[in-house]
Amino acid sequence: MLGLNNELPDDVHYQLVHRTASAVIEAQRFGAHAAVMLVHSFSPENRWFEEFLKFAEAFGVRPEVGRLARTSAQNRLPLDLGWVHGDERFLLA
């Protein structure tokens, strides 16, 4: 489903796998031209970003905060991975 040539490390968080597979499935279902799995973090220190990088590296990319990275996944659709940082004002509500 994910179009990986490499195996995922055993300690990759399953949520990243599930959300990425869901993005691919939904993009195909809606006839999109690409699939995007985006993590929207409100953590001031981007907690878990290193885990996300480990996951992304299995796809041959090393995303930066705030930028999408096009993977080399062998799917019917291009797959982009990204991490964005939310406005911390919303943590105070």
Side-chain angles (χ1 to χ4, degrees), residues 51-69:
E51 298 298 323
F52 173 72
L53 285 180
K54 188 184 325 177
F55 174 71
E57 286 173 351
F59 289 90
V61 296
R62 187 160 178 85
E64 298 173 22
V65 174
R67 300 191 69 165
L68 289 176

Side-chain angles (χ1 to χ4, degrees), residues 3-9 57-60 72:
L4 286 171
N5 292 328
N6 306 322
E7 288 191 27
L8 288 170
E57 286 173 351
F59 289 90
S72 58

Side-chain angles (χ1 to χ4, degrees), residues 2-49:
L2 297 179
L4 286 171
N5 292 328
N6 306 322
E7 288 191 27
L8 288 170
D10 291 336
D11 58 346
V12 164
H13 293 208
Y14 77 90
Q15 294 93 335
L16 294 170
V17 177
H18 180 268
R19 290 175 186 156
T20 304
S22 295
V24 171
I25 290 167
E26 290 301 302
Q28 290 172 347
R29 186 167 77 99
F30 283 97
H33 297 285
V36 176
M37 195 288 284
L38 188 66
V39 174
H40 188 180
S41 173
F42 286 91
S43 168
E45 63 276 347
N46 285 312
R47 188 173 180 201
W48 306 113
F49 184 68

